[in-house]
Amino acid sequence: MKRVVSVSLGSSKRDHKVETEILGEKYTIERRGTDGDMAKAVAVIQALDGKVDAFGLGGTDLYIYAGEKRYVIREAAQIARAAQHTPIVDGSGLKNTLERKVIAYLKSELGMVFDNVPVLMVCGADRFGMAQALVQSGARLTCGDLMFALGLPIPLRSLKSLDMVAKILAPIVCQLPFKYLYPTGSKQEKTVPRYSRYYHEADIIAGDFHFIKKYMPDNLTGKTILTNTVTKEDVELLRGRGVKQLITTTPELNGRSFGTNVMEAVLVAAAGKRPEQMTPADYEDLLDRIGFKPRVEIL
């Protein structure tokens, strides 16, 4: 049996463990939150290093992408270095393939129409593949990177502006403590509405669920949420706010949609390769063979 463990800076209240079978092999897939404690995350990885098949790193990203350039987030790299033997991934390798395929799947298999549909992506730099696929499908995209990550009241209305801002800020931002950029630990449990106008303008609210949850307004009647990493409690929260439809880019496993870092770790374990050896074609091939499909739920 293969074992995949996601070590997250997020809340331990969201921990989950499932057993499943993928391509004829049994897996245990587990998420362990460390409540924003970096030292604890390092300790968990060191204790399991060499004893599991792949690590996911959650509650943070290892990289910020700006165009073709990749910047390493300093604090996340410190955590990742604790894994000396077991591969560790943050989901960014998968986002660029899986989340493009999800938009294509929603159009071709479910008949979703994106033409001229207003979409709020809470952080486009985190999911450039999805942002690009949405624009190519005709969506009117607003990215909230400056608003939700940095608190600046400036919406980004095009991929060009997103790319320009990412190139300017990425080298600086990746040196900052991650807690200033992204909700970690108990902050993931709190919601403080911010820039509600942009939530209300959009028909689809997309991107990282913790960003969506942290800043969402009380009323989201009729909206579609396109994200992943949701628990049963999150689904009830969205239902209570009036959300019409929930789509997660990762499949549901025993009532839970894990993060892309978890699913990327599963694919790396299945391929038996180091992350640096994995190509987009490898991810595409495995996704096709496994037949991962997004979760679509009317609330």
Side-chain angles (χ1 to χ4, degrees):
M1 178 178 286
K2 291 195 173 183
R3 185 180 179 193
V4 169
V5 177
S6 170
V7 180
S8 173
L9 288 177
S11 169
S12 56
K13 292 180 180 177
R14 302 174 70 83
D15 284 357
H16 197 59
K17 182 178 180 180
V18 300
E19 288 189 14
T20 190
E21 187 170 311
I22 295 171
L23 297 178
E25 189 153 22
K26 290 186 177 177
Y27 284 73
T28 61
I29 304 172
E30 181 181 357
R31 187 262 191 199
R32 293 193 187 183
T34 60
D35 301 309
D37 188 334
M38 284 184 58
K40 187 175 179 181
V42 169
V44 171
I45 292 170
Q46 288 175 333
L48 294 174
D49 189 27
K51 301 173 184 173
V52 300
D53 293 280
F55 287 117
L57 180 59
T60 178
D61 286 331
L62 257 175
Y63 308 109
I64 293 175
Y65 288 88
E68 299 298 319
K69 199 157 183 180
R70 189 175 75 174
Y71 297 88
V72 179
I73 296 177
R74 180 175 55 83
E75 284 194 340
Q78 291 173 6
I79 300 173
R81 279 196 290 272
Q84 294 291 308
H85 304 287
T86 298
I88 187 166
V89 294
D90 71 338
S92 57
L94 185 57
K95 284 176 186 172
N96 202 33
T97 49
L98 172 69
E99 298 197 328
R100 288 179 190 274
K101 289 171 71 76
V102 165
I103 301 303
Y105 176 89
L106 295 174
K107 288 172 60 180
S108 63
E109 302 299 320
L110 301 185
M112 278 189 69
V113 174
F114 294 96
D115 274 342
N116 210 32
V117 172
V119 177
L120 170 64
M121 179 161 276
V122 285
C123 185
D126 175 50
R127 285 177 149 80
F128 192 79
M130 180 191 286
Q132 201 171 40
L134 285 165
V135 169
Q136 288 169 348
S137 299
R140 286 191 284 123
L141 189 70
T142 298
C143 291
D145 299 55
L146 292 176
M147 298 188 291
F148 300 115
L150 299 178
L152 302 173
I154 305 171
L156 303 174
R157 302 287 193 178
S158 69
L159 292 178
K160 185 177 179 182
S161 59
L162 173 65
D163 185 53
M164 183 179 68
V165 166
K167 284 177 177 170
I168 294 170
L169 294 182
I172 304 165
V173 165
C174 68
Q175 299 300 320
L176 296 175
F178 199 71
K179 64 182 180 181
Y180 295 129
L181 305 174
Y182 183 80
T184 59
S186 60
K187 290 180 181 177
Q188 292 183 351
E189 305 303 320
K190 298 175 184 174
T191 298
V192 181
R194 175 187 284 182
Y195 302 115
S196 298
R197 168 190 163 189
Y198 299 99
Y199 280 85
H200 294 314
E201 281 181 358
D203 289 349
I204 299 173
I205 299 156
D208 181 274
F209 184 70
H210 293 300
F211 267 136
I212 293 174
K213 177 182 174 183
K214 184 168 179 58
Y215 301 116
M216 67 184 182
D218 292 338
N219 187 352
L220 290 172
T221 299
K223 307 295 184 187
T224 291
I225 304 294
L226 175 56
T227 186
N228 61 26
T229 328
V230 291
T231 64
K232 290 179 181 176
E233 290 76 18
D234 295 327
V235 174
E236 288 309 310
L237 177 66
L238 294 174
R239 185 177 282 119
R241 304 273 170 130
V243 169
K244 179 180 72 176
Q245 181 174 232
L246 170 66
I247 300 170
T248 64
T249 59
T250 48
E252 181 177 352
L253 296 174
N254 293 359
R256 174 71 182 274
S257 300
F258 284 103
T260 48
N261 75 88
V262 184
M263 305 319 294
E264 185 175 339
V266 169
L267 297 186
V268 167
K273 293 183 176 181
R274 298 291 305 180
E276 56 272 21
Q277 296 173 318
M278 295 288 288
T279 66
D282 290 326
Y283 288 119
E284 293 271 3
D285 176 59
L286 283 166
L287 289 170
D288 288 342
R289 288 165 54 200
I290 294 171
F292 278 168
K293 289 185 172 52
R295 163 193 185 179
V296 180
E297 185 174 354
I298 302 299
L299 303 185

